[in-house]
Amino acid sequence: MSNETRVLYNAECPICDAEICHYRSYTEQRDIPVAYDDLNSNALSKWGIDPETAAKRLHVTANGELYSGIPAFLILWQEMPRFRWLARLIGLPGIKQLACLAYDHALAPWLYRKHLRRQAKAKAA
């Protein structure tokens, strides 16, 4: 795994895609070195994560380390000047734990269930 910051996201999820497209546009306009990989592409093989694990949450690599969930968002937000305040806020003790609970037990599972429904509809069509 390289030292560059890379984001693995689900481009087939309308919510995930919209958010990551916003971040991509921001980083590209400012020449901030962040790369983006769609988990539905052959780029997933570089991550060493199976498709189901990848679809369950956001993943980011930075400095050779793999992060997922809220820690991944914190790494990504720290790369972008406009979002550093959010990384500092969400990274505060107590707030970080609450954000992780909300993401891990509500938001990420909800998005993953929607992903599974989209896949089932696509297979049925």
Side-chain angles (χ1 to χ4, degrees), residues 68-121:
S68 68
I70 293 299
F73 279 102
L74 294 176
I75 293 296
L76 179 58
W77 293 336
Q78 288 169 357
E79 293 288 329
M80 301 180 286
R82 181 189 299 166
F83 295 93
R84 286 187 185 136
W85 69 270
L86 185 58
R88 285 192 297 275
L89 175 67
I90 301 300
L92 290 172
I95 295 175
K96 182 178 180 184
Q97 287 79 359
L98 288 173
C100 287
L101 282 171
Y103 183 84
D104 294 342
H105 298 288
L107 185 58
W110 176 73
L111 288 170
Y112 182 62
R113 284 191 304 274
K114 290 180 72 64
H115 169 71
L116 293 177
R117 282 189 218 119
R118 276 191 307 277
Q119 284 185 323
K121 282 182 183 178

Side-chain angles (χ1 to χ4, degrees), residues 9-24 38 40 111 118:
Y9 73 102
N10 185 357
E12 290 181 3
C13 170
I15 296 168
C16 304
D17 189 52
E19 182 172 8
I20 298 303
C21 283
H22 174 72
Y23 298 149
R24 175 183 281 165
D38 175 9
N40 303 292
L111 288 170
R118 276 191 307 277

